[in-house]
């Protein structure tokens, strides 16, 4: 924690204007904990916005969520899960049938291939059950570290890492919590700052904030509870 705080003293704090820096004092760690507390207060119901009932469904939904909104994914998954309720069923699916169901999520050919390949590997290597370890998850077709973090954090309630999606990357950078653009490096910076028990929640908080206030095109800094802590605030 101390190391990350020192790093932030060098990067984020330098970008703070004089008045904000005075309010914050010298401690980047304090600033981070204040950000965390305020986001928890602002979004007490922050949660994964993909609909799912088990690890299999969440793995499928997360694969489908690449380059697609959660709202759109939630529109197609009921039909997908009705037809293919588990990995054994999806492993037997015809590519074109899956493509037809998931077409509106974009990149549907690749996603259908990933879904079926994932299911076949789960059947072949894990007795049809989604594995609950990072190594086993990222070995599945179509499953990268981000998807694995989503599944571990939300289906298995395990804090193994922090999900870094486009919202987490953008809001973290604006808040001066990372200088990196590579998701793995961003995740390392955030893991060093965030108490482990809050890893899964932290990504939900940043995603909620990024979707509602710190939006990509024009952040609503005037409505932001973090404005006095944020080196990028435009108020
Ligand atoms: S102050 Fe603006 S840039 Fe900073 S977190 Fe809030 S909305 Fe985003």
């Amino acid at each position: 924690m101390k190391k990350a705080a020192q790093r932030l003293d060098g990067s984020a704090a330098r970008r703070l204007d004089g008045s904000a820096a005075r309010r914050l004092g010298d401690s980047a760690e304090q600033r981070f904990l204040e950000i965390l507390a305020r986001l928890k207060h602002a979004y007490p119901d922050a949660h994964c916005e993909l609909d799912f009932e088990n690890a299999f469904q969440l793995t499928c939904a997360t694969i489908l969520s690449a380059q697609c909104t959660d709202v759109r994914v939630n529109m197609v998954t009921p039909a997908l899960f009705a037809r293919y309720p588990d990995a054994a069923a999806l492993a037997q699916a015809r590519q074109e049938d899956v493509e037809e169901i998931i077409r509106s999520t974009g990149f549907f050919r690749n996603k259908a291939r990933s879904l079926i390949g994932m299911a076949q590997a789960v059947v072949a290597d894990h007795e049809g059950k989604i594995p609950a370890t990072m190594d086993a998850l990222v070995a599945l077709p179509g499953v990268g570290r981000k998807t694995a973090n989503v599944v571990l954090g939300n289906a298995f309630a395990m804090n193994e890492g922090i999900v870094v999606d486009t919202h987490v990357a953008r809001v973290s950078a604006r808040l001066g919590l990372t200088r990196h653009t590579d998701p793995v490096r961003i995740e390392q910076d955030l893991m060093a700052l965030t108490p482990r028990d809050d890893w899964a929640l932290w990504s939900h908080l940043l995603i909620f904030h990024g979707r509602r206030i710190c939006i990509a095109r024009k952040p609503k800094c005037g409505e932001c509870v973090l404005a006095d802590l944020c080196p990028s605030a435009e108020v």
Side-chain angles (χ1 to χ4, degrees):
M1 177 77 87
K2 208 166 213 157
K3 213 164 159 200
Q6 281 161 354
R7 187 166 60 246
L8 283 179
D9 280 333
S11 57
R14 244 197 320 274
R15 290 197 279 141
L16 293 168
D17 66 31
S19 57
R22 268 194 303 281
R23 278 196 300 278
L24 295 171
D26 291 333
S27 170
E29 184 179 327
Q30 257 181 359
R31 183 178 80 98
F32 175 77
L33 293 176
E34 179 65 20
I35 289 170
L36 182 59
R38 288 193 200 176
L39 289 179
K40 281 183 180 178
H41 188 259
Y43 308 110
D45 64 335
H47 61 278
C48 176
E49 294 186 278
L50 292 168
D51 295 338
F52 69 98
E53 290 177 359
N54 53 49
F56 165 73
Q57 292 189 356
L58 183 57
T59 306
C60 293
T62 310
I63 289 172
L64 291 175
S65 72
Q67 308 289 320
C68 181
T69 65
D70 289 358
V71 172
R72 169 60 59 186
V73 172
N74 290 339
M75 289 166 73
V76 309
T77 45
L80 183 71
F81 301 149
R83 181 138 178 203
Y84 309 107
D86 52 29
L90 187 57
Q92 306 277 342
R94 294 194 321 165
Q95 167 91 14
E96 53 269 39
D97 293 340
V98 176
E99 286 180 6
E100 195 53 40
I101 295 172
I102 67 167
R103 180 177 293 265
S104 66
T105 67
F107 304 99
F108 60 91
R109 291 207 171 88
N110 279 344
K111 288 180 182 177
R113 236 188 319 276
S114 291
L115 288 173
I116 295 169
M118 175 276 291
Q120 288 173 342
V122 166
V123 169
D125 301 334
H126 304 286
E127 299 175 343
K129 302 275 181 231
I130 298 293
T133 66
M134 178 63 77
D135 287 350
L137 280 167
V138 296
L140 298 172
V143 176
R145 187 169 172 93
K146 189 190 103 181
T147 298
N149 271 330
V150 172
V151 173
L152 290 171
N154 298 282
F156 295 116
M158 292 167 62
N159 285 303
E160 285 299 310
I162 293 179
V163 175
V164 177
D165 73 350
T166 177
H167 300 291
V168 173
R170 179 181 70 256
V171 180
S172 300
R174 284 178 176 168
L175 285 167
L177 302 178
T178 183
R179 283 177 295 169
H180 295 293
T181 51
D182 170 54
V184 173
R185 304 291 295 276
I186 295 172
E187 184 183 359
Q188 286 168 352
D189 284 346
L190 297 179
M191 284 164 68
L193 282 167
T194 315
R196 186 167 185 148
D197 286 351
D198 285 329
W199 282 359
L201 177 63
W202 174 240
S203 16
H204 297 322
L205 293 170
L206 286 187
I207 291 168
F208 264 55
H209 195 58
R211 285 184 175 147
R212 290 155 181 79
I213 301 291
C214 194
I215 50 184
R217 278 232 305 250
K218 188 154 177 38
K220 301 176 183 173
C221 301
E223 301 171 33
C224 180
V225 296
L226 306 177
D228 63 319
L229 302 175
C230 179
S232 309
E234 293 174 15
V235 285

